[in-house]
Amino acid sequence: MEFPTLQVDAAQLVSELEQLATYSDCSEPPPAVTRVVFTETDLRARDYLRGLYEAAGLTVRVDAVGNTFARWEGTEPELPAVGTGSHTDAIPHSGMYDGTVGVLGGLEAIRALKRSGFQPRRSIDVVMFTSEEPTRFGVGCTGSRLMSGAMTPEELAGLQDEAGTTYDEVRSQAGFEGELTSAMLDKEAYSAFVELHIEQGPLLEQAGEAIGVVTAIAAPATVHFEVTGEGGHAGAVLMPMRRDALAAAAGMVLAIERLALDSSSPDLVATVGELDVHPGAVNSIPSRVRFTLDLRDIDGENRDDVLDSIIAACTQIAAGRRVEVSHKVLNADPPAVCDERIVDAALQAATKLGLPHRQMISRAYHDSLFMARVAPTGMIFIPCRGGVSHRPDEYTSPEQLESGVATLALTLAQLAS
Ligand code: GLV
Ligand code: MN
Ligand code: MN
Protein backbone atom coordinates (compact mmCIF):
# COMPACT_ATOMS: atom_id res chain seq x y z
CA MET A 1 0.00 0.00 0.00
CA GLU A 2 0.98 3.62 -0.28
CA PHE A 3 1.72 4.90 3.21
CA PRO A 4 0.15 8.22 4.23
CA THR A 5 2.51 11.06 5.19
CA LEU A 6 1.98 11.74 8.86
CA GLN A 7 2.41 14.62 11.19
CA VAL A 8 2.22 13.40 14.77
CA ASP A 9 1.55 16.16 17.29
CA ALA A 10 3.80 14.97 20.11
CA ALA A 11 3.41 18.22 22.06
CA GLN A 12 -0.36 17.81 22.13
CA LEU A 13 -0.01 14.17 23.20
CA VAL A 14 2.38 15.07 26.02
CA SER A 15 0.05 17.78 27.27
CA GLU A 16 -2.86 15.32 27.28
CA LEU A 17 -0.77 12.74 29.14
CA GLU A 18 0.11 15.43 31.68
CA GLN A 19 -3.52 16.44 32.07
CA LEU A 20 -4.57 12.81 32.52
CA ALA A 21 -1.89 12.45 35.22
CA THR A 22 -3.63 15.15 37.27
CA TYR A 23 -6.53 12.73 37.84
CA SER A 24 -4.78 10.93 40.65
CA ASP A 25 -5.24 9.88 44.25
CA CYS A 26 -1.52 9.68 44.95
CA SER A 27 -0.25 11.55 48.01
CA GLU A 28 2.52 12.93 45.79
CA PRO A 29 1.92 15.28 42.81
CA PRO A 30 2.24 14.11 39.18
CA PRO A 31 4.15 12.46 37.61
CA ALA A 32 3.33 10.17 40.55
CA VAL A 33 -0.08 8.68 39.83
CA THR A 34 -2.58 6.44 41.61
CA ARG A 35 -5.81 5.79 39.71
CA VAL A 36 -7.81 2.80 40.86
CA VAL A 37 -10.72 1.45 38.86
CA PHE A 38 -14.23 2.73 39.57
CA THR A 39 -13.10 5.49 41.97
CA GLU A 40 -14.27 9.09 41.53
CA THR A 41 -10.84 9.82 40.09
CA ASP A 42 -11.13 7.06 37.52
CA LEU A 43 -14.54 8.41 36.52
CA ARG A 44 -13.22 11.95 36.13
CA ALA A 45 -10.36 10.67 33.97
CA ARG A 46 -12.90 8.84 31.80
CA ASP A 47 -14.90 12.07 31.36
CA TYR A 48 -11.74 13.85 30.26
CA LEU A 49 -11.04 11.14 27.68
CA ARG A 50 -14.58 11.24 26.37
CA GLY A 51 -14.19 14.96 25.66
CA LEU A 52 -11.03 14.28 23.66
CA TYR A 53 -12.65 11.47 21.68
CA GLU A 54 -15.64 13.63 20.84
CA ALA A 55 -13.45 16.57 19.86
CA ALA A 56 -11.69 14.23 17.43
CA GLY A 57 -15.03 13.31 15.85
CA LEU A 58 -15.09 9.73 17.22
CA THR A 59 -18.27 7.94 18.28
CA VAL A 60 -18.09 6.67 21.86
CA ARG A 61 -19.62 3.45 23.17
CA VAL A 62 -19.25 2.26 26.77
CA ASP A 63 -20.02 -1.34 27.74
CA ALA A 64 -21.41 -2.81 30.96
CA VAL A 65 -18.10 -2.67 32.84
CA GLY A 66 -16.86 0.62 31.41
CA ASN A 67 -14.70 -0.66 28.57
CA THR A 68 -14.81 2.33 26.21
CA PHE A 69 -14.69 2.19 22.41
CA ALA A 70 -14.08 5.40 20.45
CA ARG A 71 -14.75 4.68 16.80
CA TRP A 72 -13.55 6.30 13.57
CA GLU A 73 -15.95 4.87 11.06
CA GLY A 74 -14.48 3.30 7.95
CA THR A 75 -15.87 3.46 4.44
CA GLU A 76 -17.11 -0.14 4.90
CA PRO A 77 -18.38 -0.03 8.48
CA GLU A 78 -20.02 -3.46 8.25
CA LEU A 79 -16.56 -5.12 8.09
CA PRO A 80 -14.86 -6.31 11.30
CA ALA A 81 -13.05 -3.28 12.74
CA VAL A 82 -9.41 -2.74 13.67
CA GLY A 83 -8.78 -2.06 17.35
CA THR A 84 -6.05 -0.29 19.26
CA GLY A 85 -5.88 0.90 22.86
CA SER A 86 -4.80 0.03 26.37
CA HIS A 87 -5.68 1.02 29.95
CA THR A 88 -5.69 4.19 32.05
CA ASP A 89 -5.88 2.76 35.56
CA ALA A 90 -2.62 3.11 37.48
CA ILE A 91 -1.30 1.11 40.41
CA PRO A 92 -0.59 2.98 43.67
CA HIS A 93 2.35 5.37 43.43
CA SER A 94 3.12 4.63 39.79
CA GLY A 95 3.89 6.72 36.74
CA MET A 96 2.01 8.52 33.97
CA TYR A 97 2.85 6.44 30.86
CA ASP A 98 1.90 2.82 31.60
CA GLY A 99 -1.25 2.14 29.56
CA THR A 100 -2.04 5.80 28.96
CA VAL A 101 0.39 5.88 26.01
CA GLY A 102 -1.71 3.22 24.28
CA VAL A 103 -4.97 5.11 24.81
CA LEU A 104 -3.92 8.70 24.15
CA GLY A 105 -1.30 7.52 21.63
CA GLY A 106 -4.01 5.53 19.86
CA LEU A 107 -6.13 8.66 19.71
CA GLU A 108 -3.21 10.71 18.35
CA ALA A 109 -2.53 8.00 15.75
CA ILE A 110 -6.11 8.41 14.52
CA ARG A 111 -5.89 12.21 14.53
CA ALA A 112 -2.62 12.03 12.56
CA LEU A 113 -4.21 9.66 10.02
CA LYS A 114 -7.22 11.97 9.70
CA ARG A 115 -4.97 14.99 9.15
CA SER A 116 -3.08 13.10 6.44
CA GLY A 117 -6.29 12.61 4.47
CA PHE A 118 -6.21 8.83 4.91
CA GLN A 119 -9.60 7.10 4.76
CA PRO A 120 -9.84 3.69 6.47
CA ARG A 121 -11.90 0.96 4.81
CA ARG A 122 -12.49 -0.75 8.15
CA SER A 123 -13.55 1.26 11.19
CA ILE A 124 -10.80 1.88 13.74
CA ASP A 125 -11.56 1.80 17.50
CA VAL A 126 -9.51 3.20 20.34
CA VAL A 127 -10.36 0.89 23.23
CA MET A 128 -9.85 1.88 26.86
CA PHE A 129 -9.99 -1.34 28.87
CA THR A 130 -11.37 -1.26 32.37
CA SER A 131 -8.99 -2.25 35.14
CA GLU A 132 -5.90 -3.75 33.54
CA GLU A 133 -4.20 -3.48 36.92
CA PRO A 134 -5.07 -5.97 39.67
CA THR A 135 -5.03 -3.33 42.44
CA ARG A 136 -8.67 -3.39 43.46
CA PHE A 137 -9.91 -6.89 42.71
CA GLY A 138 -6.71 -8.95 42.84
CA VAL A 139 -6.98 -10.00 39.19
CA GLY A 140 -5.75 -7.85 36.31
CA CYS A 141 -7.36 -7.21 32.92
CA THR A 142 -10.92 -7.62 34.14
CA GLY A 143 -12.35 -5.71 31.17
CA SER A 144 -10.49 -7.70 28.52
CA ARG A 145 -11.00 -10.99 30.39
CA LEU A 146 -14.75 -10.43 30.19
CA MET A 147 -14.65 -9.24 26.57
CA SER A 148 -12.68 -12.30 25.50
CA GLY A 149 -14.48 -14.90 27.62
CA ALA A 150 -11.31 -15.60 29.64
CA MET A 151 -13.45 -15.00 32.71
CA THR A 152 -17.17 -15.75 32.88
CA PRO A 153 -19.62 -13.01 33.84
CA GLU A 154 -20.36 -14.95 37.06
CA GLU A 155 -16.69 -15.19 38.02
CA LEU A 156 -16.18 -11.51 37.33
CA ALA A 157 -19.32 -10.36 39.13
CA GLY A 158 -18.28 -12.22 42.29
CA LEU A 159 -14.77 -10.76 42.63
CA GLN A 160 -14.48 -8.69 45.80
CA ASP A 161 -12.43 -5.68 46.74
CA GLU A 162 -10.82 -5.21 50.15
CA ALA A 163 -14.04 -3.83 51.61
CA GLY A 164 -15.83 -7.02 50.54
CA THR A 165 -17.89 -5.24 47.87
CA THR A 166 -18.40 -7.26 44.71
CA TYR A 167 -17.29 -6.20 41.25
CA ASP A 168 -20.91 -6.18 40.21
CA GLU A 169 -21.90 -3.79 43.00
CA VAL A 170 -18.91 -1.51 42.49
CA ARG A 171 -19.41 -1.19 38.73
CA SER A 172 -23.08 -0.29 39.13
CA GLN A 173 -22.28 2.22 41.90
CA ALA A 174 -19.86 3.76 39.38
CA GLY A 175 -22.71 4.03 36.87
CA PHE A 176 -21.97 1.06 34.59
CA GLU A 177 -25.09 -0.98 33.97
CA GLY A 178 -26.31 -3.73 31.69
CA GLU A 179 -25.89 -7.49 31.41
CA LEU A 180 -22.26 -8.53 31.75
CA THR A 181 -22.76 -10.97 28.89
CA SER A 182 -23.39 -8.01 26.57
CA ALA A 183 -19.72 -6.99 27.02
CA MET A 184 -18.46 -10.26 25.51
CA LEU A 185 -17.00 -9.77 22.03
CA ASP A 186 -17.74 -12.09 19.20
CA LYS A 187 -14.83 -13.22 17.07
CA GLU A 188 -16.03 -11.09 14.16
CA ALA A 189 -15.76 -7.84 16.09
CA TYR A 190 -12.10 -7.17 15.24
CA SER A 191 -10.03 -8.28 12.28
CA ALA A 192 -6.94 -7.06 14.15
CA PHE A 193 -5.98 -5.53 17.48
CA VAL A 194 -2.69 -3.72 18.14
CA GLU A 195 -1.63 -2.13 21.43
CA LEU A 196 1.03 0.58 21.84
CA HIS A 197 2.82 0.43 25.22
CA ILE A 198 6.05 1.42 26.93
CA GLU A 199 8.48 -1.50 27.11
CA GLN A 200 8.71 -1.48 30.93
CA GLY A 201 12.17 -3.02 30.52
CA PRO A 202 15.60 -1.73 29.43
CA LEU A 203 16.34 -3.53 26.15
CA LEU A 204 15.26 -0.92 23.59
CA GLU A 205 16.94 1.93 25.40
CA GLN A 206 20.16 -0.04 25.85
CA ALA A 207 20.26 -0.89 22.14
CA GLY A 208 19.29 2.64 21.03
CA GLU A 209 16.22 1.28 19.26
CA ALA A 210 12.96 3.18 18.87
CA ILE A 211 10.48 0.35 18.37
CA GLY A 212 9.93 -3.15 19.71
CA VAL A 213 7.55 -5.35 17.76
CA VAL A 214 6.14 -7.90 20.19
CA THR A 215 5.95 -11.53 19.10
CA ALA A 216 4.61 -13.14 22.31
CA ILE A 217 3.29 -12.15 25.74
CA ALA A 218 4.42 -14.03 28.87
CA ALA A 219 2.06 -16.17 30.95
CA PRO A 220 1.19 -14.63 34.32
CA ALA A 221 -0.16 -16.35 37.45
CA THR A 222 -1.31 -14.83 40.72
CA VAL A 223 -1.53 -16.97 43.86
CA HIS A 224 -2.62 -15.98 47.38
CA PHE A 225 -1.03 -17.80 50.32
CA GLU A 226 -2.19 -17.85 53.92
CA VAL A 227 0.07 -19.07 56.73
CA THR A 228 -1.52 -19.77 60.10
CA GLY A 229 0.58 -20.26 63.23
CA GLU A 230 -0.06 -19.33 66.83
CA GLY A 231 0.06 -15.84 68.28
CA GLY A 232 1.14 -14.90 71.77
CA HIS A 233 3.08 -12.55 73.99
CA ALA A 234 6.43 -11.50 72.53
CA GLY A 235 8.03 -11.57 75.96
CA ALA A 236 6.42 -14.60 77.51
CA VAL A 237 6.49 -17.31 74.82
CA LEU A 238 9.97 -18.88 74.63
CA MET A 239 11.52 -19.51 71.24
CA PRO A 240 11.27 -23.33 71.07
CA MET A 241 7.53 -23.11 71.73
CA ARG A 242 6.75 -20.73 68.92
CA ARG A 243 4.74 -21.29 65.78
CA ASP A 244 5.48 -17.90 64.23
CA ALA A 245 3.56 -17.41 60.97
CA LEU A 246 5.82 -14.59 59.75
CA ALA A 247 9.06 -16.50 60.30
CA ALA A 248 7.53 -19.36 58.29
CA ALA A 249 6.34 -16.98 55.55
CA ALA A 250 9.83 -15.45 55.38
CA GLY A 251 11.23 -18.92 54.67
CA MET A 252 8.62 -19.39 51.96
CA VAL A 253 9.48 -16.07 50.29
CA LEU A 254 13.16 -17.06 50.18
CA ALA A 255 12.27 -20.52 48.83
CA ILE A 256 10.24 -18.86 46.07
CA GLU A 257 13.17 -16.66 45.14
CA ARG A 258 15.52 -19.66 45.09
CA LEU A 259 13.19 -21.75 42.90
CA ALA A 260 12.85 -18.85 40.44
CA LEU A 261 16.63 -18.35 40.33
CA ASP A 262 17.15 -22.08 39.75
CA SER A 263 14.53 -22.35 36.99
CA SER A 264 15.76 -23.62 33.65
CA SER A 265 13.88 -20.76 31.96
CA PRO A 266 15.69 -17.40 31.97
CA ASP A 267 12.32 -15.70 31.49
CA LEU A 268 10.75 -17.04 34.68
CA VAL A 269 10.20 -14.34 37.32
CA ALA A 270 8.60 -14.58 40.78
CA THR A 271 7.62 -11.68 43.03
CA VAL A 272 6.09 -11.54 46.50
CA GLY A 273 4.89 -7.94 46.57
CA GLU A 274 2.31 -7.95 49.34
CA LEU A 275 2.52 -9.28 52.89
CA ASP A 276 -0.15 -8.82 55.52
CA VAL A 277 0.83 -9.65 59.09
CA HIS A 278 -1.79 -10.32 61.75
CA PRO A 279 -2.19 -8.89 64.32
CA GLY A 280 0.69 -6.60 63.36
CA ALA A 281 1.85 -5.42 66.78
CA VAL A 282 5.44 -4.96 67.92
CA ASN A 283 5.01 -7.19 70.97
CA SER A 284 2.79 -9.89 69.51
CA ILE A 285 3.92 -13.08 67.75
CA PRO A 286 2.41 -13.11 64.23
CA SER A 287 -0.41 -15.65 64.15
CA ARG A 288 -1.41 -15.23 60.49
CA VAL A 289 0.32 -13.96 57.38
CA ARG A 290 -1.12 -13.55 53.94
CA PHE A 291 1.12 -12.96 50.97
CA THR A 292 0.74 -12.82 47.21
CA LEU A 293 2.84 -14.49 44.56
CA ASP A 294 3.15 -13.08 41.02
CA LEU A 295 4.77 -15.73 38.81
CA ARG A 296 5.43 -15.41 35.07
CA ASP A 297 7.20 -17.12 32.21
CA ILE A 298 7.05 -17.10 28.45
CA ASP A 299 6.83 -20.90 28.77
CA GLY A 300 3.45 -21.63 30.37
CA GLU A 301 4.30 -25.25 31.18
CA ASN A 302 7.47 -24.29 32.97
CA ARG A 303 5.53 -21.64 34.90
CA ASP A 304 3.11 -24.33 36.06
CA ASP A 305 5.94 -26.72 37.01
CA VAL A 306 7.64 -24.03 39.08
CA LEU A 307 4.32 -23.21 40.73
CA ASP A 308 3.96 -26.88 41.75
CA SER A 309 7.49 -26.80 43.21
CA ILE A 310 6.70 -23.58 45.11
CA ILE A 311 3.58 -25.08 46.62
CA ALA A 312 5.51 -28.23 47.63
CA ALA A 313 8.28 -26.14 49.20
CA CYS A 314 5.80 -24.00 51.15
CA THR A 315 4.03 -27.14 52.40
CA GLN A 316 7.34 -28.59 53.56
CA ILE A 317 8.40 -25.39 55.32
CA ALA A 318 5.02 -25.21 57.04
CA ALA A 319 5.33 -28.80 58.30
CA GLY A 320 8.84 -28.14 59.62
CA ARG A 321 7.58 -25.12 61.56
CA ARG A 322 4.28 -26.65 62.74
CA VAL A 323 2.17 -24.02 60.95
CA GLU A 324 -0.54 -24.42 58.33
CA VAL A 325 -0.34 -23.08 54.80
CA SER A 326 -3.11 -22.82 52.22
CA HIS A 327 -3.15 -21.24 48.78
CA LYS A 328 -5.60 -20.06 46.18
CA VAL A 329 -4.75 -19.61 42.49
CA LEU A 330 -6.46 -16.41 41.35
CA ASN A 331 -5.33 -16.70 37.75
CA ALA A 332 -2.89 -18.82 35.77
CA ASP A 333 -3.14 -17.63 32.18
CA PRO A 334 -1.47 -19.19 29.15
CA PRO A 335 0.96 -17.05 27.12
CA ALA A 336 -0.18 -15.44 23.87
CA VAL A 337 1.51 -15.52 20.48
CA CYS A 338 1.18 -12.40 18.35
CA ASP A 339 -0.31 -12.63 14.88
CA GLU A 340 2.23 -12.77 12.06
CA ARG A 341 0.30 -10.40 9.83
CA ILE A 342 0.28 -7.74 12.56
CA VAL A 343 3.94 -8.30 13.38
CA ASP A 344 4.72 -7.84 9.67
CA ALA A 345 2.60 -4.70 9.42
CA ALA A 346 4.37 -3.15 12.43
CA LEU A 347 7.80 -4.13 11.06
CA GLN A 348 6.94 -2.55 7.72
CA ALA A 349 5.72 0.60 9.45
CA ALA A 350 8.93 0.96 11.47
CA THR A 351 11.02 0.28 8.38
CA LYS A 352 9.09 2.83 6.33
CA LEU A 353 9.70 5.42 9.05
CA GLY A 354 13.41 4.56 9.17
CA LEU A 355 13.20 3.69 12.86
CA PRO A 356 15.65 1.19 14.37
CA HIS A 357 13.60 -1.70 15.71
CA ARG A 358 13.66 -5.29 16.92
CA GLN A 359 11.29 -8.15 17.60
CA MET A 360 10.88 -9.02 21.28
CA ILE A 361 8.64 -10.66 23.85
CA SER A 362 6.54 -8.86 26.43
CA ARG A 363 7.32 -9.89 30.00
CA ALA A 364 4.58 -7.70 31.40
CA TYR A 365 1.00 -8.72 30.73
CA HIS A 366 -1.39 -6.50 28.87
CA ASP A 367 -5.00 -6.53 27.70
CA SER A 368 -3.56 -7.86 24.45
CA LEU A 369 -2.96 -11.18 26.25
CA PHE A 370 -6.74 -11.60 26.31
CA MET A 371 -7.60 -9.81 23.07
CA ALA A 372 -5.44 -12.46 21.38
CA ARG A 373 -8.20 -14.97 22.21
CA VAL A 374 -10.77 -13.14 20.09
CA ALA A 375 -8.73 -11.28 17.48
CA PRO A 376 -5.40 -11.48 15.68
CA THR A 377 -3.31 -9.35 18.04
CA GLY A 378 0.03 -7.57 18.18
CA MET A 379 1.86 -4.99 20.26
CA ILE A 380 4.29 -2.12 19.62
CA PHE A 381 6.74 -1.13 22.36
CA ILE A 382 8.61 2.14 22.79
CA PRO A 383 11.57 2.58 25.15
CA CYS A 384 11.22 3.98 28.65
CA ARG A 385 14.08 5.57 30.58
CA GLY A 386 16.16 3.03 32.45
CA GLY A 387 13.49 0.41 31.75
CA VAL A 388 11.65 1.85 34.77
CA SER A 389 7.90 1.31 35.15
CA HIS A 390 5.33 1.09 37.95
CA ARG A 391 7.22 3.98 39.57
CA PRO A 392 6.69 7.76 39.47
CA ASP A 393 9.96 8.28 37.58
CA GLU A 394 8.67 6.21 34.63
CA TYR A 395 9.47 8.31 31.54
CA THR A 396 9.39 8.19 27.76
CA SER A 397 10.42 11.24 25.72
CA PRO A 398 8.25 13.22 23.26
CA GLU A 399 10.44 11.90 20.41
CA GLN A 400 9.98 8.30 21.54
CA LEU A 401 6.23 8.86 21.82
CA GLU A 402 6.17 10.37 18.34
CA SER A 403 7.98 7.34 16.87
CA GLY A 404 5.59 4.96 18.61
CA VAL A 405 2.48 6.82 17.48
CA ALA A 406 3.73 7.08 13.90
CA THR A 407 4.50 3.34 13.84
CA LEU A 408 1.10 2.57 15.29
CA ALA A 409 -0.64 4.85 12.78
CA LEU A 410 1.05 3.24 9.77
CA THR A 411 0.29 -0.21 11.21
CA LEU A 412 -3.37 0.71 11.65
CA ALA A 413 -3.47 2.18 8.15
CA GLN A 414 -2.31 -1.15 6.66
CA LEU A 415 -4.67 -3.23 8.79
CA ALA A 416 -7.68 -0.99 8.07
CA SER A 417 -7.12 -0.74 4.30
C1 GLV B 1 0.82 -5.20 34.22
O1 GLV B 1 0.77 -4.09 34.72
C2 GLV B 1 1.73 -6.18 34.70
O2 GLV B 1 1.88 -6.28 35.95
O3 GLV B 1 2.38 -6.84 33.87
MN1 MN C 1 1.02 -1.70 34.78
MN1 MN D 1 0.18 -1.40 31.23
Side-chain angles (χ1 to χ4, degrees), residues 86-89 97-100 132-133 195-198 200 364-367 379 389-390 394:
S86 192
H87 62 100
T88 56
D89 61 329
Y97 299 95
D98 175 6
T100 55
E132 189 264 359
E133 301 289 6
E195 177 172 1
L196 174 66
H197 205 283
I198 56 169
Q200 306 183 287
Y365 60 74
H366 302 281
D367 294 298
M379 292 192 75
S389 184
H390 282 185
E394 181 179 85

Side-chain angles (χ1 to χ4, degrees), residues 201-219:
L203 301 180
L204 293 174
E205 185 185 67
Q206 280 169 4
E209 287 162 343
I211 296 294
V213 176
V214 175
T215 53
I217 305 171

